[in-house]
Amino acid sequence: MRVTLLGTGDTTGTPTVGCECDTCETARERDIERTRFSVHVENDRTDESLLVDFSPDFRYQFLRESVPLPDAAIITHIHFDHLDGLGNVFRVFDSLDVHAADETDPQTGQSVAETVASDYDYLDAVTVQPTTPLESTRICGFDVTLVPVDHPPLVCYGLAIEDPQTGAKLSLSGDTSYAIPQASREVLADPDLLLADAIVPAELCDAHPIGGRHTDDDGVARTFGTKHMTREGALALADDLDAEQTRLVHIAHFYPADDAFAEPLALDGETYEL
């Protein structure tokens, strides 16, 4: 299993357009970036690849990394930074199965799969495959399981991707607070590599209108507001899941420049052989 981090940033990416903060300026000076979130997973055994989420930066990411176009894809939720790159399928793919959860979202009255199908009905190449969370599905030779996470007000999913022959396992937290249900944690547990949402360090929770939540015994917030884990929350999740290796993703440019590019925060273009 070869994992390429196509996009490791949050909704605006780093550097952010029009921003002159120290973090964005440092990124420009060092010629590094975090585009909007997307992960490419190759299966050498089957010569197939799987894409997790369609970043708005899809075209640039694939040209930059020279990875093969995916044979199938998964969409974790319907926020634009994880979905709007799907339009790049037009005139590029002859056909593409796109997997998404089949559970109805009370907020929208549709499942993620239904929203994708209705919003992108003009893409003849796309076949949406409604997928039941917490049930393993064979995709590109991998056993893939969507798991519910906590990203209010919309439903959102993390996932585990396992190679049934080698036992290699990649887990992605999805966009989530620290309050991931226990059933989902059990599926995500014991990965060779965990990609965990860590939008800001806990010290910045004071800047959020509602502060931080899910504090540890020392009062350190594991959730920033309601939707995303802090760096400290993501690392606590990694410990909870007994992850062999962890990379922090969905990173905002609000990290202080001294911390923004330090381990284990990921950058675009990183690759891992599991």
Side-chain angles (χ1 to χ4, degrees):
M1 182 188 301
R2 180 179 176 84
V3 180
T4 302
L5 308 188
L6 297 179
T8 56
D10 70 338
T11 188
T12 66
T14 302
T16 294
V17 173
C19 183
E20 298 179 356
C21 74
D22 289 345
T23 297
C24 289
E25 289 298 320
T26 299
R28 293 185 185 100
E29 290 167 3
R30 294 176 57 183
D31 194 26
I32 54 180
E33 60 189 339
R34 294 184 173 115
T35 56
R36 274 71 68 88
F37 183 80
S38 187
V39 177
H40 187 271
V41 187
E42 295 180 64
N43 188 336
D44 292 337
R45 293 187 298 99
T46 64
D47 195 28
E48 296 175 293
S49 61
L50 173 64
L51 182 68
V52 180
D53 284 342
F54 279 88
S55 168
D57 302 305
F58 177 99
R59 176 182 178 277
Y60 171 63
Q61 291 172 345
F62 274 80
L63 290 173
R64 183 191 62 196
E65 302 304 330
S66 298
V67 291
L69 288 171
D71 298 281
I74 299 170
I75 291 175
T76 60
H77 65 298
I78 61 170
H79 279 159
F80 94 98
D81 53 324
H82 296 257
L83 173 60
D84 279 12
L86 184 57
N88 287 273
V89 168
F90 187 64
R91 294 182 180 173
V92 174
F93 291 81
D94 293 326
S95 63
L96 183 69
D97 284 349
V98 176
H99 297 257
D102 62 2
E103 295 178 319
T104 299
D105 186 340
Q107 187 74 20
T108 66
Q110 292 184 314
S111 66
V112 174
E114 289 170 330
T115 298
V116 173
S118 61
D119 287 0
Y120 292 90
D121 60 338
Y122 65 92
L123 294 175
D124 294 337
V126 169
T127 301
V128 177
Q129 300 289 353
T131 303
T132 301
L134 298 174
E135 293 185 8
S136 179
T137 303
R138 184 64 56 88
I139 309 173
C140 296
F142 297 126
D143 291 334
V144 180
T145 308
L146 286 167
V147 297
V149 294
D150 181 51
H151 188 55
L154 300 177
V155 295
C156 184
Y157 302 86
L159 64 152
I161 302 173
E162 299 182 70
D163 188 319
Q165 292 198 17
T166 68
K169 181 176 181 179
L170 167 68
S171 291
L172 299 90
S173 74
D175 282 17
T176 184
S177 79
Y178 183 73
I180 298 174
Q182 182 59 33
S184 298
R185 288 171 179 258
E186 291 172 3
V187 174
L188 297 173
D190 302 314
D192 296 293
L193 175 63
L194 171 67
L195 303 179
D197 171 15
I199 196 164
V200 296
E203 67 195 58
L204 296 187
C205 286
D206 288 345
H208 194 286
I210 65 171
R213 295 190 301 154
H214 307 129
T215 55
D216 64 16
D217 292 341
D218 296 320
V220 177
R222 294 171 172 171
T223 296
F224 177 70
T226 61
K227 296 182 180 182
H228 297 276
M229 287 186 289
T230 62
R231 173 183 57 195
E232 290 76 6
L235 293 175
L237 177 68
D239 287 341
D240 296 344
L241 299 181
D242 197 22
E244 183 172 325
Q245 187 173 10
T246 301
R247 302 303 286 167
L248 305 186
V249 295
H250 211 274
I251 303 299
H253 70 121
F254 300 117
Y255 272 84
D258 290 343
D259 294 339
F261 309 106
E263 293 293 324
L265 276 65
L267 291 169
D268 287 12
E270 295 180 7
T271 60
Y272 298 89
E273 298 282 352
L274 307 184

